[in-house]
Amino acid sequence: MGGMERTYSDAVTALNTLQSNFSIINAIRKSGRNMNTQAIPEMRQWCQKIGYETSEYDQLRPIHIAGTKGKGSTSAFISSILAQYLPSLAQTKPLPLLHKIGLYTSPHLRFVRERIRVNGTPLSEETFAKYFFETWDRLEDAARAAGQPTDKSAKPVYFRFLTLMALHTYISEGVDTAIIECGIGGEYDSTNIIEKPTVTGITSLGIDHTAMLGSTIEEIAWHKAGIMKPGAIAFTAPQPEGAMAVLRERADAKGVTLHLVERHPQLNHIKLGLAADCQKTNASLAIQIAAAHLQALGHNDITTDPLPPEFIRGLEQVQWGGRCETRFEKNMAWHLDGGHTLESIEVAGKWFATEVLQASSSSPPSPSLSPSPSPPLPPIATHASSLSPAPPPPTTTNLPARTRILLFNQQTRDARALAHSLHSLLSSLLSTPHPFTHAIFCSNVTFASGSYKPDLMSMNTSTADIEDLSVQKKLADAWKRFGSTDGKGGPEKEAGCEVFVEKTVEEAVRTVRAIAAAEGGTSGQNEELVRVLVTGSMHLVGAALEVLETGEDGVV
């Protein structure tokens, strides 16, 4: 990269060249090929090329997290709990045993630097660029020394590179606890070069990434269990019977003690910083993992029954954007969740139904719910609130007619199945064949100009499908049929829901706001807010947040 400026923007541009393109990803999906059994040996070689042996990562005292659902939220809970034991917050502790906490997660919402955090804060643009190009240069130097080209072949693919960079960053920054979330699977995941975690955790399992992990819950559990290591206690959230059996078998074979974590009863009396009932499962797992880690570090007085005040603060203060997150503007409430599997779309649907049902019977909102701008990073999330499970739907009368808008996309998975599952669930919970008055389907392209924010560029989708909106048109057609009595649907209005297809997220947001504007001013009644559910894809949620925060020209 000789002669070019080395800014954050340059780093993101260079990083994007390491993405696998759609043709490669699609070939892997169609082949049914399993994860690369050489992934870990190859990753060890990449580590050596930037100057590390994998044993050096032991000094990070890592916590390793795998799972299908709730990995990021669980990791965020752990980070928030442990942050209460940092020197600045542990004034009564004579010997603080934590100084810097790293958190490595994926995917990101708006900025790729969100993936690499220190003490809860995403790397600054300057710090990201510094460690990015240090990693980049070391790889090119290694290739040059071996008489090999310094082109793309001298670097690993996108996620592997970021994993290398994160570990390099954490060692350079003096991190003494690193919470590492797996990318895909566990056994062959790039992060599984970790040799001596203090503790490992497996969140709720479901069916996802079947081309690489297998099509059954048992096959997927086998991969996730790969992060368990001898000498490190392991915890798991409740799992389907078949998955639980596999986890136990693999734990026994590895000589690992595996503990099943049930919901902590005290969470019924704590207002978690993350909304949705499923977060109690994630928080319960995080409690046990954080306690085991602190005990491994020498906090021998840690107990979890009752919860220490530090744990309660961490659970209440945690922030994690794009997961059951609510933001308010004018007479609108934006409900954002990146659910993209059948299990996670069900979580998003139940959470949205809870919001709607509670609002329909609530008093006017307090002043704290009035529109307010979101601050810059950190944190990402600014308006999440804790909610109870969705109450039973009305059995005798439908909810009052309110404007409810769906903004949906899923570019690579079975989008129709996800949309149908959401429609069926909300039709049942809200006792109506038409849970939304309007449905908008768009691509994940950020701006109306057709451009992406560089951090949001994705090359693993079909350019042709995006350009002709084939996925969105099929979704729109299917949605019209979901609510019709004969299954054939009809013109948008006759189907009970007005359906739109928009080319970009910015144009979709404009359409949403135009619909809300047509509703007129707000009367201040919470139930009269126009409610928008944005779901189906983390990429969509990230792009929506970018548009809501800045707009294309930087001003909303």
Short mmCIF file of all heavy atoms in Angstrom, two decimals, residues 143-204:
data_model
loop_
_atom_site.label_atom_id
_atom_site.label_comp_id
_atom_site.label_asym_id
_atom_site.label_seq_id
_atom_site.Cartn_x
_atom_site.Cartn_y
_atom_site.Cartn_z
N ALA A 143 5.68 -12.29 3.80
CA ALA A 143 5.62 -12.77 2.42
C ALA A 143 6.87 -12.38 1.65
O ALA A 143 7.46 -13.19 0.91
CB ALA A 143 4.37 -12.21 1.73
N ARG A 144 7.30 -11.15 1.86
CA ARG A 144 8.49 -10.65 1.17
C ARG A 144 9.72 -11.47 1.57
O ARG A 144 10.55 -11.85 0.73
CB ARG A 144 8.68 -9.18 1.52
CG ARG A 144 9.34 -8.34 0.46
CD ARG A 144 9.34 -6.87 0.82
NE ARG A 144 8.06 -6.23 0.54
CZ ARG A 144 7.23 -5.74 1.45
NH1 ARG A 144 7.54 -5.83 2.72
NH2 ARG A 144 6.10 -5.18 1.09
N ALA A 145 9.83 -11.76 2.87
CA ALA A 145 10.98 -12.54 3.37
C ALA A 145 10.99 -13.95 2.81
O ALA A 145 12.05 -14.57 2.67
CB ALA A 145 10.94 -12.57 4.90
N ALA A 146 9.80 -14.47 2.50
CA ALA A 146 9.70 -15.82 1.95
C ALA A 146 9.76 -15.82 0.43
O ALA A 146 9.58 -16.88 -0.20
CB ALA A 146 8.41 -16.47 2.43
N GLY A 147 10.01 -14.67 -0.17
CA GLY A 147 10.07 -14.58 -1.62
C GLY A 147 8.73 -14.75 -2.29
O GLY A 147 8.64 -15.18 -3.45
N GLN A 148 7.66 -14.40 -1.57
CA GLN A 148 6.30 -14.55 -2.09
C GLN A 148 5.70 -13.18 -2.40
O GLN A 148 6.15 -12.16 -1.87
CB GLN A 148 5.43 -15.29 -1.08
CG GLN A 148 5.91 -16.71 -0.79
CD GLN A 148 5.20 -17.33 0.40
OE1 GLN A 148 4.50 -16.67 1.15
NE2 GLN A 148 5.39 -18.64 0.58
N PRO A 149 4.67 -13.13 -3.24
CA PRO A 149 4.04 -11.84 -3.56
C PRO A 149 3.37 -11.24 -2.33
O PRO A 149 2.97 -11.95 -1.40
CB PRO A 149 3.01 -12.21 -4.64
CG PRO A 149 2.77 -13.68 -4.48
CD PRO A 149 4.06 -14.26 -3.98
N THR A 150 3.24 -9.93 -2.32
CA THR A 150 2.62 -9.23 -1.19
C THR A 150 1.19 -8.80 -1.51
O THR A 150 0.65 -7.89 -0.88
CB THR A 150 3.45 -7.99 -0.82
OG1 THR A 150 3.53 -7.11 -1.96
CG2 THR A 150 4.85 -8.39 -0.38
N ASP A 151 0.59 -9.47 -2.47
CA ASP A 151 -0.78 -9.12 -2.86
C ASP A 151 -1.77 -9.74 -1.88
O ASP A 151 -1.43 -10.11 -0.75
CB ASP A 151 -1.05 -9.57 -4.29
CG ASP A 151 -0.84 -11.08 -4.47
OD1 ASP A 151 -0.65 -11.80 -3.46
OD2 ASP A 151 -0.86 -11.55 -5.62
N LYS A 152 -3.01 -9.89 -2.32
CA LYS A 152 -4.07 -10.41 -1.47
C LYS A 152 -3.74 -11.79 -0.91
O LYS A 152 -4.15 -12.15 0.20
CB LYS A 152 -5.38 -10.46 -2.27
CG LYS A 152 -6.59 -10.93 -1.48
CD LYS A 152 -7.85 -10.87 -2.35
CE LYS A 152 -9.06 -11.41 -1.59
NZ LYS A 152 -10.29 -11.34 -2.41
N SER A 153 -2.97 -12.57 -1.65
CA SER A 153 -2.64 -13.93 -1.20
C SER A 153 -1.76 -13.93 0.05
O SER A 153 -1.61 -14.96 0.71
CB SER A 153 -1.93 -14.69 -2.33
OG SER A 153 -0.66 -14.10 -2.62
N ALA A 154 -1.19 -12.78 0.37
CA ALA A 154 -0.32 -12.68 1.55
C ALA A 154 -1.12 -12.41 2.82
O ALA A 154 -0.53 -12.30 3.90
CB ALA A 154 0.71 -11.57 1.35
N LYS A 155 -2.44 -12.30 2.68
CA LYS A 155 -3.28 -12.02 3.85
C LYS A 155 -4.39 -13.06 3.95
O LYS A 155 -4.85 -13.60 2.94
CB LYS A 155 -3.93 -10.62 3.76
CG LYS A 155 -2.95 -9.46 3.83
CD LYS A 155 -2.60 -8.97 2.45
CE LYS A 155 -1.63 -7.80 2.49
NZ LYS A 155 -1.22 -7.41 1.11
N PRO A 156 -4.85 -13.31 5.16
CA PRO A 156 -6.00 -14.21 5.32
C PRO A 156 -7.28 -13.48 4.95
O PRO A 156 -7.29 -12.27 4.73
CB PRO A 156 -5.97 -14.54 6.81
CG PRO A 156 -5.36 -13.34 7.45
CD PRO A 156 -4.35 -12.82 6.46
N VAL A 157 -8.38 -14.23 4.91
CA VAL A 157 -9.67 -13.62 4.59
C VAL A 157 -10.13 -12.71 5.73
O VAL A 157 -9.56 -12.71 6.83
CB VAL A 157 -10.73 -14.71 4.30
CG1 VAL A 157 -10.38 -15.46 3.04
CG2 VAL A 157 -10.89 -15.65 5.50
N TYR A 158 -11.16 -11.96 5.47
CA TYR A 158 -11.68 -10.87 6.30
C TYR A 158 -11.72 -11.20 7.79
O TYR A 158 -11.10 -10.52 8.62
CB TYR A 158 -13.07 -10.53 5.79
CG TYR A 158 -13.73 -9.30 6.34
CD1 TYR A 158 -13.68 -8.09 5.65
CD2 TYR A 158 -14.48 -9.35 7.51
CE1 TYR A 158 -14.33 -6.96 6.13
CE2 TYR A 158 -15.13 -8.22 8.00
CZ TYR A 158 -15.05 -7.03 7.30
OH TYR A 158 -15.69 -5.92 7.78
N PHE A 159 -12.46 -12.25 8.17
CA PHE A 159 -12.65 -12.54 9.59
C PHE A 159 -11.36 -13.00 10.24
O PHE A 159 -11.05 -12.64 11.38
CB PHE A 159 -13.76 -13.58 9.80
CG PHE A 159 -14.05 -13.85 11.25
CD1 PHE A 159 -14.78 -12.95 12.01
CD2 PHE A 159 -13.57 -15.00 11.87
CE1 PHE A 159 -15.05 -13.19 13.35
CE2 PHE A 159 -13.83 -15.25 13.21
CZ PHE A 159 -14.57 -14.33 13.96
N ARG A 160 -10.59 -13.80 9.53
CA ARG A 160 -9.30 -14.24 10.08
C ARG A 160 -8.38 -13.05 10.32
O ARG A 160 -7.69 -12.97 11.34
CB ARG A 160 -8.62 -15.23 9.13
CG ARG A 160 -9.24 -16.61 9.10
CD ARG A 160 -8.36 -17.55 8.27
NE ARG A 160 -8.93 -18.89 8.18
CZ ARG A 160 -8.31 -19.92 7.61
NH1 ARG A 160 -7.10 -19.75 7.07
NH2 ARG A 160 -8.87 -21.10 7.56
N PHE A 161 -8.37 -12.12 9.36
CA PHE A 161 -7.52 -10.94 9.52
C PHE A 161 -7.93 -10.15 10.76
O PHE A 161 -7.08 -9.75 11.56
CB PHE A 161 -7.60 -10.05 8.28
CG PHE A 161 -6.66 -8.87 8.34
CD1 PHE A 161 -5.42 -8.93 7.72
CD2 PHE A 161 -7.00 -7.71 9.02
CE1 PHE A 161 -4.53 -7.85 7.78
CE2 PHE A 161 -6.14 -6.63 9.09
CZ PHE A 161 -4.89 -6.69 8.47
N LEU A 162 -9.23 -9.93 10.91
CA LEU A 162 -9.70 -9.17 12.07
C LEU A 162 -9.39 -9.89 13.37
O LEU A 162 -9.10 -9.24 14.39
CB LEU A 162 -11.20 -8.90 11.95
CG LEU A 162 -11.59 -7.79 10.96
CD1 LEU A 162 -13.11 -7.72 10.82
CD2 LEU A 162 -11.04 -6.44 11.41
N THR A 163 -9.43 -11.22 13.37
CA THR A 163 -9.08 -11.98 14.56
C THR A 163 -7.61 -11.78 14.90
O THR A 163 -7.25 -11.52 16.06
CB THR A 163 -9.39 -13.47 14.37
OG1 THR A 163 -10.80 -13.62 14.08
CG2 THR A 163 -9.06 -14.27 15.62
N LEU A 164 -6.74 -11.89 13.89
CA LEU A 164 -5.33 -11.61 14.10
C LEU A 164 -5.12 -10.21 14.64
O LEU A 164 -4.36 -9.99 15.60
CB LEU A 164 -4.56 -11.75 12.78
CG LEU A 164 -4.38 -13.13 12.17
CD1 LEU A 164 -3.70 -12.99 10.81
CD2 LEU A 164 -3.57 -14.03 13.08
N MET A 165 -5.79 -9.25 14.03
CA MET A 165 -5.63 -7.85 14.43
C MET A 165 -6.12 -7.63 15.85
O MET A 165 -5.49 -6.91 16.64
CB MET A 165 -6.39 -6.96 13.45
CG MET A 165 -6.36 -5.49 13.82
SD MET A 165 -7.45 -4.52 12.77
CE MET A 165 -7.64 -3.06 13.79
N ALA A 166 -7.25 -8.23 16.21
CA ALA A 166 -7.79 -8.05 17.55
C ALA A 166 -6.83 -8.58 18.60
O ALA A 166 -6.56 -7.92 19.62
CB ALA A 166 -9.15 -8.75 17.66
N LEU A 167 -6.30 -9.77 18.38
CA LEU A 167 -5.38 -10.36 19.35
C LEU A 167 -4.09 -9.54 19.45
O LEU A 167 -3.56 -9.33 20.56
CB LEU A 167 -5.08 -11.80 18.96
CG LEU A 167 -6.29 -12.75 19.03
CD1 LEU A 167 -5.96 -14.11 18.41
CD2 LEU A 167 -6.78 -12.92 20.47
N HIS A 168 -3.60 -9.05 18.32
CA HIS A 168 -2.43 -8.17 18.31
C HIS A 168 -2.73 -6.89 19.08
O HIS A 168 -1.90 -6.42 19.89
CB HIS A 168 -2.03 -7.86 16.87
CG HIS A 168 -1.01 -6.78 16.74
ND1 HIS A 168 0.23 -6.83 17.35
CD2 HIS A 168 -1.04 -5.58 16.07
CE1 HIS A 168 0.92 -5.73 17.08
NE2 HIS A 168 0.17 -4.97 16.30
N THR A 169 -3.91 -6.34 18.86
CA THR A 169 -4.31 -5.11 19.56
C THR A 169 -4.34 -5.34 21.07
O THR A 169 -3.81 -4.52 21.84
CB THR A 169 -5.70 -4.66 19.08
OG1 THR A 169 -5.66 -4.39 17.69
CG2 THR A 169 -6.17 -3.42 19.84
N TYR A 170 -4.96 -6.43 21.48
CA TYR A 170 -5.13 -6.67 22.91
C TYR A 170 -3.79 -6.88 23.62
O TYR A 170 -3.58 -6.38 24.72
CB TYR A 170 -6.06 -7.85 23.14
CG TYR A 170 -7.49 -7.58 22.72
CD1 TYR A 170 -8.32 -8.62 22.30
CD2 TYR A 170 -8.01 -6.30 22.73
CE1 TYR A 170 -9.63 -8.37 21.91
CE2 TYR A 170 -9.31 -6.04 22.35
CZ TYR A 170 -10.12 -7.08 21.93
OH TYR A 170 -11.42 -6.83 21.55
N ILE A 171 -2.87 -7.60 22.98
CA ILE A 171 -1.55 -7.77 23.59
C ILE A 171 -0.82 -6.44 23.63
O ILE A 171 -0.20 -6.07 24.64
CB ILE A 171 -0.75 -8.84 22.83
CG1 ILE A 171 -1.32 -10.23 23.16
CG2 ILE A 171 0.73 -8.76 23.20
CD1 ILE A 171 -0.60 -11.38 22.50
N SER A 172 -0.90 -5.68 22.57
CA SER A 172 -0.22 -4.38 22.51
C SER A 172 -0.78 -3.39 23.52
O SER A 172 -0.03 -2.56 24.07
CB SER A 172 -0.32 -3.78 21.10
OG SER A 172 0.23 -4.66 20.13
N GLU A 173 -2.06 -3.48 23.78
CA GLU A 173 -2.72 -2.55 24.70
C GLU A 173 -2.67 -3.00 26.15
O GLU A 173 -3.18 -2.31 27.04
CB GLU A 173 -4.19 -2.36 24.27
CG GLU A 173 -4.37 -1.57 22.99
CD GLU A 173 -4.09 -0.09 23.18
OE1 GLU A 173 -4.57 0.49 24.18
OE2 GLU A 173 -3.38 0.49 22.33
N GLY A 174 -2.09 -4.18 26.41
CA GLY A 174 -1.99 -4.65 27.79
C GLY A 174 -3.29 -5.17 28.35
O GLY A 174 -3.52 -5.12 29.58
N VAL A 175 -4.16 -5.68 27.50
CA VAL A 175 -5.43 -6.26 27.96
C VAL A 175 -5.13 -7.50 28.81
O VAL A 175 -4.28 -8.32 28.45
CB VAL A 175 -6.31 -6.64 26.74
CG1 VAL A 175 -7.43 -7.59 27.13
CG2 VAL A 175 -6.88 -5.37 26.11
N ASP A 176 -5.82 -7.61 29.96
CA ASP A 176 -5.58 -8.78 30.81
C ASP A 176 -6.81 -9.66 30.99
O ASP A 176 -6.81 -10.63 31.75
CB ASP A 176 -5.01 -8.38 32.17
CG ASP A 176 -5.80 -7.28 32.85
OD1 ASP A 176 -6.95 -7.02 32.44
OD2 ASP A 176 -5.26 -6.66 33.79
N THR A 177 -7.88 -9.35 30.28
CA THR A 177 -9.02 -10.25 30.11
C THR A 177 -9.61 -9.96 28.73
O THR A 177 -9.91 -8.81 28.42
CB THR A 177 -10.10 -10.05 31.19
OG1 THR A 177 -9.67 -10.64 32.41
CG2 THR A 177 -11.42 -10.70 30.78
N ALA A 178 -9.75 -10.99 27.91
CA ALA A 178 -10.31 -10.81 26.57
C ALA A 178 -11.49 -11.75 26.39
O ALA A 178 -11.36 -12.96 26.55
CB ALA A 178 -9.26 -11.08 25.50
N ILE A 179 -12.63 -11.17 26.09
CA ILE A 179 -13.84 -11.95 25.82
C ILE A 179 -13.90 -12.12 24.31
O ILE A 179 -14.03 -11.14 23.56
CB ILE A 179 -15.09 -11.23 26.35
CG1 ILE A 179 -14.93 -10.94 27.84
CG2 ILE A 179 -16.35 -12.06 26.09
CD1 ILE A 179 -15.76 -9.77 28.32
N ILE A 180 -13.80 -13.35 23.85
CA ILE A 180 -13.69 -13.64 22.43
C ILE A 180 -14.92 -14.41 21.96
O ILE A 180 -15.18 -15.52 22.41
CB ILE A 180 -12.42 -14.46 22.12
CG1 ILE A 180 -11.18 -13.79 22.70
CG2 ILE A 180 -12.29 -14.70 20.63
CD1 ILE A 180 -10.83 -12.47 22.08
N GLU A 181 -15.66 -13.82 21.05
CA GLU A 181 -16.85 -14.47 20.49
C GLU A 181 -16.47 -15.18 19.19
O GLU A 181 -15.82 -14.59 18.32
CB GLU A 181 -17.94 -13.44 20.21
CG GLU A 181 -19.17 -14.02 19.55
CD GLU A 181 -20.08 -12.96 18.91
OE1 GLU A 181 -19.93 -11.77 19.24
OE2 GLU A 181 -20.90 -13.35 18.06
N CYS A 182 -16.88 -16.44 19.06
CA CYS A 182 -16.65 -17.17 17.81
C CYS A 182 -17.36 -16.50 16.65
O CYS A 182 -18.37 -15.82 16.83
CB CYS A 182 -17.19 -18.61 17.93
SG CYS A 182 -16.14 -19.71 18.88
N GLY A 183 -16.83 -16.73 15.45
CA GLY A 183 -17.52 -16.26 14.25
C GLY A 183 -18.57 -17.26 13.83
O GLY A 183 -19.77 -17.04 13.99
N ILE A 184 -18.14 -18.40 13.29
CA ILE A 184 -19.06 -19.47 12.87
C ILE A 184 -18.56 -20.78 13.48
O ILE A 184 -17.39 -21.14 13.34
CB ILE A 184 -19.12 -19.59 11.33
CG1 ILE A 184 -19.71 -18.32 10.73
CG2 ILE A 184 -19.96 -20.79 10.92
CD1 ILE A 184 -19.71 -18.30 9.21
N GLY A 185 -19.45 -21.49 14.13
CA GLY A 185 -19.09 -22.79 14.68
C GLY A 185 -18.27 -22.67 15.93
O GLY A 185 -18.62 -21.97 16.87
N GLY A 186 -17.12 -23.36 15.96
CA GLY A 186 -16.27 -23.37 17.14
C GLY A 186 -15.02 -24.20 16.89
O GLY A 186 -13.90 -23.70 16.96
N GLU A 187 -15.22 -25.46 16.56
CA GLU A 187 -14.11 -26.38 16.36
C GLU A 187 -13.10 -25.85 15.36
O GLU A 187 -11.89 -25.89 15.62
CB GLU A 187 -14.64 -27.74 15.89
CG GLU A 187 -13.56 -28.78 15.63
CD GLU A 187 -12.95 -29.36 16.90
OE1 GLU A 187 -13.63 -29.33 17.94
OE2 GLU A 187 -11.81 -29.83 16.84
N TYR A 188 -13.57 -25.34 14.23
CA TYR A 188 -12.67 -24.87 13.18
C TYR A 188 -12.75 -23.35 13.01
O TYR A 188 -12.28 -22.81 12.01
CB TYR A 188 -13.00 -25.56 11.85
CG TYR A 188 -12.94 -27.06 11.94
CD1 TYR A 188 -14.02 -27.84 11.53
CD2 TYR A 188 -11.81 -27.71 12.43
CE1 TYR A 188 -13.98 -29.23 11.61
CE2 TYR A 188 -11.76 -29.10 12.53
CZ TYR A 188 -12.84 -29.85 12.10
OH TYR A 188 -12.80 -31.22 12.19
N ASP A 189 -13.33 -22.67 13.98
CA ASP A 189 -13.43 -21.22 13.89
C ASP A 189 -12.06 -20.59 14.09
O ASP A 189 -11.22 -21.10 14.85
CB ASP A 189 -14.40 -20.69 14.95
CG ASP A 189 -14.65 -19.21 14.80
OD1 ASP A 189 -15.36 -18.82 13.85
OD2 ASP A 189 -14.14 -18.43 15.63
N SER A 190 -11.84 -19.46 13.44
CA SER A 190 -10.54 -18.79 13.52
C SER A 190 -10.14 -18.45 14.95
O SER A 190 -8.95 -18.38 15.27
CB SER A 190 -10.57 -17.50 12.69
OG SER A 190 -10.91 -17.77 11.35
N THR A 191 -11.11 -18.21 15.80
CA THR A 191 -10.81 -17.83 17.19
C THR A 191 -10.35 -19.02 18.02
O THR A 191 -9.87 -18.84 19.14
CB THR A 191 -12.03 -17.20 17.86
OG1 THR A 191 -13.08 -18.18 17.96
CG2 THR A 191 -12.53 -15.99 17.09
N ASN A 192 -10.50 -20.24 17.50
CA ASN A 192 -10.21 -21.43 18.32
C ASN A 192 -8.73 -21.77 18.39
O ASN A 192 -8.35 -22.89 18.75
CB ASN A 192 -11.01 -22.64 17.83
CG ASN A 192 -11.28 -23.63 18.95
OD1 ASN A 192 -11.34 -23.24 20.13
ND2 ASN A 192 -11.44 -24.89 18.62
N ILE A 193 -7.89 -20.79 18.09
CA ILE A 193 -6.47 -20.92 18.37
C ILE A 193 -6.19 -20.64 19.85
O ILE A 193 -5.07 -20.84 20.32
CB ILE A 193 -5.63 -19.96 17.50
CG1 ILE A 193 -6.17 -18.53 17.61
CG2 ILE A 193 -5.62 -20.43 16.04
CD1 ILE A 193 -5.33 -17.50 16.92
N ILE A 194 -7.21 -20.17 20.56
CA ILE A 194 -7.07 -19.96 22.01
C ILE A 194 -6.83 -21.32 22.66
O ILE A 194 -7.60 -22.26 22.47
CB ILE A 194 -8.35 -19.31 22.57
CG1 ILE A 194 -8.49 -17.88 22.04
CG2 ILE A 194 -8.34 -19.32 24.09
CD1 ILE A 194 -9.81 -17.24 22.37
N GLU A 195 -5.76 -21.40 23.43
CA GLU A 195 -5.39 -22.68 24.02
C GLU A 195 -5.79 -22.83 25.47
O GLU A 195 -6.13 -23.93 25.93
CB GLU A 195 -3.86 -22.88 23.89
CG GLU A 195 -3.40 -22.95 22.44
CD GLU A 195 -1.88 -23.03 22.32
OE1 GLU A 195 -1.19 -22.90 23.36
OE2 GLU A 195 -1.40 -23.20 21.19
N LYS A 196 -5.74 -21.74 26.23
CA LYS A 196 -6.02 -21.83 27.66
C LYS A 196 -7.00 -20.74 28.10
O LYS A 196 -6.62 -19.79 28.80
CB LYS A 196 -4.72 -21.73 28.46
CG LYS A 196 -3.80 -22.93 28.28
CD LYS A 196 -2.58 -22.84 29.19
CE LYS A 196 -1.69 -24.07 29.04
NZ LYS A 196 -0.49 -24.00 29.91
N PRO A 197 -8.27 -20.88 27.73
CA PRO A 197 -9.26 -19.94 28.25
C PRO A 197 -9.45 -20.19 29.75
O PRO A 197 -9.20 -21.29 30.25
CB PRO A 197 -10.52 -20.29 27.47
CG PRO A 197 -10.34 -21.74 27.12
CD PRO A 197 -8.87 -21.93 26.89
N THR A 198 -9.89 -19.16 30.45
CA THR A 198 -10.24 -19.37 31.87
C THR A 198 -11.58 -20.08 31.98
O THR A 198 -11.81 -20.84 32.92
CB THR A 198 -10.32 -18.03 32.61
OG1 THR A 198 -11.34 -17.21 32.01
CG2 THR A 198 -8.99 -17.29 32.57
N VAL A 199 -12.45 -19.82 31.02
CA VAL A 199 -13.80 -20.39 31.03
C VAL A 199 -14.36 -20.32 29.62
O VAL A 199 -13.98 -19.44 28.84
CB VAL A 199 -14.71 -19.62 32.04
CG1 VAL A 199 -14.78 -18.16 31.69
CG2 VAL A 199 -16.11 -20.22 32.11
N THR A 200 -15.23 -21.27 29.27
CA THR A 200 -15.90 -21.22 27.97
C THR A 200 -17.41 -21.25 28.19
O THR A 200 -17.90 -21.77 29.20
CB THR A 200 -15.50 -22.40 27.06
OG1 THR A 200 -15.85 -23.63 27.70
CG2 THR A 200 -14.01 -22.37 26.78
N GLY A 201 -18.14 -20.70 27.24
CA GLY A 201 -19.60 -20.67 27.34
C GLY A 201 -20.25 -20.92 26.00
O GLY A 201 -19.75 -20.47 24.96
N ILE A 202 -21.37 -21.64 26.03
CA ILE A 202 -22.13 -21.94 24.81
C ILE A 202 -23.54 -21.41 25.00
O ILE A 202 -24.27 -21.84 25.90
CB ILE A 202 -22.13 -23.44 24.50
CG1 ILE A 202 -20.69 -23.91 24.26
CG2 ILE A 202 -23.00 -23.74 23.28
CD1 ILE A 202 -20.54 -25.39 24.03
N THR A 203 -23.93 -20.47 24.15
CA THR A 203 -25.26 -19.89 24.23
C THR A 203 -26.26 -20.80 23.52
O THR A 203 -25.92 -21.87 23.04
CB THR A 203 -25.26 -18.49 23.59
OG1 THR A 203 -25.00 -18.62 22.18
CG2 THR A 203 -24.19 -17.60 24.22
N SER A 204 -27.50 -20.36 23.43
CA SER A 204 -28.57 -21.17 22.85
C SER A 204 -28.22 -21.58 21.42
O SER A 204 -27.73 -20.77 20.62
CB SER A 204 -29.88 -20.38 22.84
OG SER A 204 -30.23 -20.02 24.16
#
